[in-house]
Amino acid sequence: MSQNRPETTNELAEQARASNVEMSERVCLDMSHFKSVLRHLRKVDDNIILRMNTTNTAAAGECQIMFGVLQTAYARRDHDIEYCLRVLDRKIDERRAENTPSFSLQTQR
């Protein structure tokens, strides 16, 4: 892709789905990797001005396609962030459980 040519609609839709980006527990627990993945997932948003300047905004179909691409990108990011929040909550709960002393009643004789 040349620097001046915007992505085709299909390329943009694939970028929004980010099917080549895998979110995993390992990614969630590595902040620098997580930030890198989010940067990749925001790529559609980062190029929105260029895309809007090259989209025929008078054509409802083109705007609807662009809106669908954005919705897909937002849904993917939202899903991945929620997933990582659940992973981190679970890890915090596990660590707390490991550090909580177990109380047992001892009888004196």
Side-chain angles (χ1 to χ4, degrees), residues 19-79:
S19 56
N20 62 332
V21 176
E22 182 182 340
M23 186 59 71
S24 66
E25 185 173 306
R26 183 182 58 80
V27 171
C28 294
L29 298 174
D30 180 346
M31 185 56 73
S32 64
H33 195 169
F34 177 73
K35 287 168 57 175
S36 173
V37 168
L38 282 183
R39 265 193 302 278
H40 180 78
L41 295 176
R42 282 195 318 260
K43 198 167 188 174
V44 170
D45 293 35
D46 294 344
N47 296 321
I48 190 72
I49 300 298
L50 175 63
R51 186 67 185 173
M52 290 303 292
N53 285 339
T54 59
T55 297
N56 179 3
T57 55
E62 287 188 42
C63 286
Q64 189 170 10
I65 289 168
M66 190 63 194
F67 183 70
V69 166
L70 288 173
Q71 280 186 315
T72 300
Y74 296 159
R76 169 64 197 265
R77 262 198 329 266
D78 188 52
H79 174 269

Side-chain angles (χ1 to χ4, degrees), residues 104-109:
S104 61
L105 296 176
Q106 296 179 353
T107 58
Q108 289 184 345
R109 293 186 185 207

Side-chain angles (χ1 to χ4, degrees), residues 57-98:
T57 55
E62 287 188 42
C63 286
Q64 189 170 10
I65 289 168
M66 190 63 194
F67 183 70
V69 166
L70 288 173
Q71 280 186 315
T72 300
Y74 296 159
R76 169 64 197 265
R77 262 198 329 266
D78 188 52
H79 174 269
D80 287 354
I81 290 169
E82 289 295 324
Y83 170 76
C84 283
L85 287 172
R86 287 190 304 274
V87 166
L88 291 174
D89 284 344
R90 183 174 44 79
K91 286 294 186 182
I92 289 170
D93 290 344
E94 288 172 5
R95 294 275 169 92
R96 283 186 180 146
E98 289 172 3

